[in-house]
Amino acid sequence: MRLSAKGEYGVRAMVYLALNYENGPVPLRAISQSENISQHFLEQIFAILRREGLIKSTRGAKGGYTLAHLPQHVYVGDIIRALEGPLFPVDCLSEDGQADKNRRCNKTEDCLVRNVWEKLREHIDNLLDNISLQDMLDWSIENKKAEYEKVR
Amino acid sequence: MRLSAKGEYGVRAMVYLALNYENGPVPLRAISQSENISQHFLEQIFAILRREGLIKSTRGAKGGYTLAHLPQHVYVGDIIRALEGPLFPVDCLSEDGQADKNRRCNKTEDCLVRNVWEKLREHIDNLLDNISLQDMLDWSIENKKAEYEKVR
DNA sequence: TAAATCCCGAGTAAATTACTCCGAATTATC
DNA sequence: GATAATTCGGAGTAATTTACTCGGGATTTA
C-alpha cells in the first residue's frame, strides 16, 4: 500500500510547473535538476500526463511543458490517478470486469469486505480531488507566514 | 497504489474469524476452503497477525485460530497495517529515518507535497481505525434487512 | 499411535518498478 | 541552413516485490 515513484515524482513535478506557471514552458531538464529526478524517467511520466490532458508541451528549443489548466483547477487526485490508475484498487472492486476472477473474492453477491474498500476509495478520492496545486502553494505561504510570526 | 493480496486476504480471513467468534478455534483449512485462499499463504499471513497480537492460536488436532479480542475491538486499520506496514508510505514521510535519502525528496526543509501525504495518511488511518470487524458484520445485517424491506 | 493441526524457513516464478538507452522529429536561434 | 535544445516514442533491463509453493518439524486430541 504505497505510492510509486511515478506518482510521487509526478506530483512534485506538477507542483514545479505550478510554481512556474507564468514563466512559459519549463523544460524537463530544469525539473530534473531541481527536483533531482532522472530526466528519462520524467519523460515517461510527462508523456502520460500529456495524454491525460493535464499538461501541454511545446517542442523544440525553448520548448518545455506547461500546466494545461490554472493551478487552482488541477487536483492531486487527477495527477495520481493518471499515473497510478484507480486509487486503492482491490481487484474485487474493479469496475471494468477485468478482475482476476479465479484468484479473488468470488462471492460477489455477499462480500462483507467490499463495503470497506468502497468507503476507503471514496475517502481517498474525495480528499485528493479537493487539493489543487494552488492549495499546496498557498499552504506553503501560510507555513512561511507562521514561521515568521513565531520568530518575531 | 493498491492493496496487496496479503492485506486483502488478511481482512477476509479476520472477518471469517469474527463470524465464528463463538465457535472455538477455526482451523486454517476451513478458511482456506471457504474463502478460496491458498492455505500455505494463509499460514504466513496468520503468522504475522499472531505476532502482532491480533489472533490467538491453538495447536494440535481441533486447534485453529481465534480473534484475540472481541470483534468490536479489532479494527481494519490494525489488520492492514500489520500486514502491509504503514499505510500510504511515501518514502519522504517515513518516521524512522530509513528513507532512501539519495533517491527521494531531499528538500525536506520545504517540501510542498509532504503536507498532502501527511493529510492523506491521517485520513486513511482515521477511516480504517474506525471500522471494526463487528461493524462489518452489522452492515451486512443491515443490508440484508434493507433487501428484505425492498422485496416486501 | 495416528491424525489434525500449527509453526518455521527456504525457494521461486511471475509481475512490477524504476529506471536506462537510443534515435527520430520539431523548433528557435545564430 | 546549420546547430542546439527540446519533445516524442519505444525497447530493454536490473532489482525488487509479490504471491505464492514446498518440506518438514512440533504439538495436541482421540
Side-chain angles (χ1 to χ4, degrees), chain A residues 62-77:
Chain A
K62 297 260 171 175
Y65 293 93
T66 326
L67 291 184
H69 314 285
L70 291 169
Q72 46 267 50
H73 294 138
V74 182
Y75 297 93
V76 181

Side-chain angles (χ1 to χ4, degrees), chain A residues 144-152:
Chain A
K144 284 201 184 112
K145 250 196 249 165
E147 286 291 318
Y148 181 68
E149 304 280 326
K150 222 172 11 181
V151 173
R152 260 178 58 194

Side-chain angles (χ1 to χ4, degrees), chain B residues 2 42 44 59 100 119-120 125 138:
Chain B
R2 64 186 285 254
L42 267 184
Q44 294 181 45
R59 301 180 75 166
D100 190 346
K119 263 186 218 275
L120 185 49
D125 275 338
D138 292 345

Side-chain angles (χ1 to χ4, degrees), chain A residues 123-142:
Chain A
H123 265 71
I124 296 179
D125 275 338
N126 189 53
L127 176 71
L128 293 184
D129 286 339
N130 279 289
I131 301 176
S132 71
L133 293 175
Q134 187 61 50
D135 290 332
M136 295 171 68
L137 303 189
D138 292 346
W139 292 345
S140 145
I141 291 166
E142 303 227 346

Side-chain angles (χ1 to χ4, degrees), chain B residues 26-29 43 50 57-61 64-65 103-104:
Chain B
V26 179
L28 279 190
R29 191 176 30 78
E43 278 178 20
R50 192 174 55 91
S57 64
T58 320
R59 301 180 75 166
Y65 293 93
R103 224 186 69 233
R104 302 218 171 158

